[in-house]
Amino acid sequence: MTLPYFDATEVRASLPFNRAIAAIETALRTDTDPEIDGPRLFAPAPDGEFLLMPAVGDGYSGLKVATIAPLNPAKGEEKIQGVYLLFNSSNLSPIAAMDGAELTAIRTPAATLTAVKNIAEAPGETEFTKTPKVLVFGAGIQAVNHIRAAKAVFPDGTFSVVGRRVERIAALIEQLAAEGIAVTRGSHDDIGQADVILCVTSSPTPLFDGSLPADHAIIASVGQHGLDAREVDETLVKRSQVIVEGRASSWRESGDLIPARSVEEWKEINPPNLKDLVDGKFKRVAGKPSLYTGVGMAWEDLVSAVVVYEDHRSRNA
């Protein structure tokens, strides 16, 4: 068997952020329901773990096989690596493979900015500026790509970054400057003036005091999964309108939300998920920040992988 393999460059070429965001929005407006996405599977690996994420669809199904190696960054190697396998749903034949790490690096910010974009456009009592101040916590590949995605959604926005390592912030600023995206070094003093706050870190503890963001701010916390890790505190959770990537996945894996409230409390609140948001079922309320939390879901990988594969088919038709 010979499968076409799409490397990181080919995956990236097929998924500029405007297109990746549009694909996620289209999927959510049609046949994709985050609540039927299956749970991901974890298994131990040497100095890390394996992560398996299957997703099914009418035309295509897929499986991401990823490794998470926490010790790698200290050795100058990637923390997350992987391969994505795409199947024909009609007969479950494998039809393509592609770089799973690059797919993850794109679909995560695409899902985040789908949420932020639709919160900003939601009806309600809160006006959202067309020139937002975007503050990013984190300076790794997800921070770089979240800024790229935010630039696609908010071309007139301004961008600043908060991180622990000065050299990584400097490298991020230099890298994005070469792409025409101006980024400055930020600080906690910028939290109260930020219109959008993107949290994309590996921190297991809250990044800032949840009373600091402005009432009109949109905050997205997507850097962590697991009930023992949280980027935002209980104060922010309880003062915000909360939107989740998926309800079932949040109850399983969102330390941002649990134990700020119990699963039973969240089920009673029934916060809108990403599909509800895209379908226009969310209304902003004055005096409350909007908090989006995501843990990463397999349907996002599948939607993105199909774009890459169908690009290949169209080029070779």
Side-chain angles (χ1 to χ4, degrees), residues 138-274:
I141 185 60
Q142 281 295 346
V144 170
N145 278 340
H146 273 78
I147 293 171
R148 288 171 174 154
K151 179 69 172 179
V153 172
F154 304 115
D156 297 320
T158 59
F159 305 92
S160 56
V161 173
V162 179
R164 291 178 298 175
R165 293 168 55 185
V166 174
E167 68 276 12
R168 292 193 74 177
I169 295 174
L172 178 151
I173 290 171
E174 182 179 359
Q175 179 180 359
L176 291 174
E179 301 173 19
I181 304 175
V183 182
T184 60
R185 185 178 179 188
S187 73
H188 280 67
D189 292 338
D190 300 318
I191 293 172
Q193 289 74 49
D195 302 297
V196 176
I197 301 173
L198 304 176
C199 303
V200 290
T201 76
S202 58
S203 173
T205 56
L207 298 168
F208 51 81
D209 181 340
S211 68
L212 295 177
D215 288 344
H216 73 277
I218 299 172
I219 302 100
S221 173
V222 299
Q224 285 281 37
H225 63 265
L227 297 180
D228 59 348
R230 53 194 51 82
E231 292 183 295
V232 298
D233 65 12
E234 180 178 334
T235 298
L236 183 63
V237 172
K238 289 189 172 180
R239 66 179 283 239
S240 298
Q241 289 182 276
V242 172
I243 306 96
V244 297
E245 188 178 30
R247 286 181 284 273
S249 61
S250 295
W251 313 157
R252 289 192 299 266
E253 295 188 34
S254 181
D256 282 337
L257 302 183
I258 301 162
R261 289 190 170 97
S262 68
V263 171
E264 291 72 24
E265 288 177 290
W266 283 117
K267 286 182 176 179
E268 186 171 341
I269 293 168
N270 196 38
N273 66 16
L274 193 53

Side-chain angles (χ1 to χ4, degrees), residues 24-93:
I24 287 175
E25 287 183 317
T26 299
L28 289 166
R29 290 191 177 111
T30 51
D31 58 354
T32 296
D33 181 358
E35 300 310 326
I36 62 173
D37 202 52
R40 54 182 145 201
L41 308 173
F42 295 89
D47 291 326
E49 60 186 348
F50 290 109
L51 174 60
L52 305 179
M53 296 180 67
V56 299
D58 291 337
Y60 301 97
S61 295
L63 173 67
K64 184 167 72 177
V65 182
T67 57
I68 303 173
L71 302 181
N72 275 7
K75 298 183 288 186
E77 298 172 356
E78 294 299 327
K79 177 181 177 181
I80 298 174
Q81 302 173 82
V83 176
Y84 196 84
L85 298 174
L86 189 66
F87 299 81
N88 184 327
S89 289
S90 66
N91 56 13
L92 293 183
S93 296

